[in-house]
Amino acid sequence: KNEVEQSPQNLTAQEGEFITINCSYSVGISALHWLQQHPGGGIVSLFMLSSGKKKHGRLIATINIQEKHSSLHITASHPRDSAVYICAVGAGGTSYGKLTFGQGTILTVHP
Amino acid sequence: SAVISQKPSRDICQRGTSLTIQCQVDSQVTMMFWYRQQPGQSLTLIATANQGSEATYESGFVIDKFPISRPNLTFSTLTVSNMSPEDSSIYLCSVLPGNTEAFFGQGTRLTVV
């Protein structure tokens, strides 16, 4: 079993739909990262969070430390949101900075 | 924040040869991380590069195969040695300056023929 599991692996939506991507992890973490990679592009950080909820524009990320679960929500989705979304967990202590990645969620938003 | 320049962006190499990948960061960072993404797989940590000390390798990765240099706080190289087709992957460097979000190089897409 992978230490970081994302679901779904593939997601297709119509423009305007509300989207949720889930991430579960099985190890202790210092922080959880949500990353985005557009086709042909580099990996960009969307959020880093260790508790609660963060919001940036139409994107919302939540984390439940007790349940070892995080969600990324996209409101009013748009075709430009089409990308791979990756959840990664950061280790703590002497392993601080090391990231363990989920397999990614491929999101396609149709106009 | 940090901006990372990674070179080369892609290369096609003959088996048995070596390729050195460079990452230049626009600010000083203590640790740099090298990752590999094999086709259809998630990113996996190869090693952590610290300035002034030997790199720390993860299980399954060895220095002879992936030697790393870290001559200063803004630069690191990863060499993929004695390449085989199984080394065909995307290689990425990453930093986390302070207690902040992660920043990544653009990646090096390596094909070994």
Side-chain angles (χ1 to χ4, degrees), chain B residues 2-3 19 22 24 35 39 43 75 85:
Chain B
V3 176
L19 176 71
Q22 301 179 2
Q24 178 76 51
Y35 294 91
L43 282 153
F75 187 79

Side-chain angles (χ1 to χ4, degrees), chain B residues 88-103:
Chain B
S88 297
S89 296
I90 296 172
Y91 293 85
L92 275 168
C93 59
S94 174
V95 299
L96 284 83
N99 186 24
T100 68
E101 61 196 289
F103 296 89

Side-chain angles (χ1 to χ4, degrees), chain B residues 2-50:
Chain B
V3 176
I4 304 175
S5 173
Q6 183 173 344
K7 300 177 183 179
S9 58
R10 60 178 63 231
D11 207 341
I12 301 173
C13 300
Q14 296 291 323
R15 66 178 69 200
T17 62
S18 298
L19 176 71
T20 295
I21 302 167
Q22 301 179 2
C23 276
Q24 178 76 51
V25 189
D26 68 344
S27 57
Q28 294 185 339
V29 291
T30 304
M31 291 184 289
M32 293 180 70
F33 303 91
W34 287 98
Y35 294 91
R36 179 177 75 179
Q37 184 174 30
Q38 294 180 299
Q41 305 293 316
S42 55
L43 282 153
T44 301
L45 181 64
I46 298 171
T48 303
N50 302 297

Side-chain angles (χ1 to χ4, degrees), chain A residues 7-51:
Chain A
S7 63
Q9 292 189 18
N10 288 278
L11 182 55
T12 301
Q14 289 298 127
E15 183 173 357
E17 287 185 355
F18 181 85
I19 289 163
T20 296
I21 300 170
N22 295 299
C23 176
S24 296
Y25 55 93
S26 58
V27 295
I29 68 170
S30 61
L32 184 142
H33 301 255
W34 281 104
L35 309 167
Q36 179 192 57
Q37 186 172 28
H38 281 101
I43 296 176
V44 174
S45 176
L46 297 175
F47 295 103
M48 184 187 84
L49 63 165
S50 55
S51 65

Side-chain angles (χ1 to χ4, degrees), chain A residues 23-102:
Chain A
C23 176
S24 296
Y25 55 93
S26 58
V27 295
I29 68 170
S30 61
L32 184 142
H33 301 255
W34 281 104
L35 309 167
Q36 179 192 57
Q37 186 172 28
H38 281 101
I43 296 176
V44 174
S45 176
L46 297 175
F47 295 103
M48 184 187 84
L49 63 165
S50 55
S51 65
K53 174 179 171 178
K54 287 190 176 181
K55 184 176 188 292
H56 184 257
R58 295 180 294 106
L59 274 59
I60 303 167
T62 64
I63 187 169
N64 184 317
I65 296 295
Q66 287 72 31
E67 295 186 2
K68 294 186 176 179
H69 181 269
S70 175
S71 294
L72 176 68
H73 305 287
I74 304 175
T75 62
S77 59
H78 190 277
R80 64 176 175 265
D81 297 324
S82 297
V84 178
Y85 292 83
I86 305 167
C87 169
V89 298
T94 56
S95 296
Y96 177 79
K98 298 182 180 180
L99 298 179
T100 302
F101 292 80

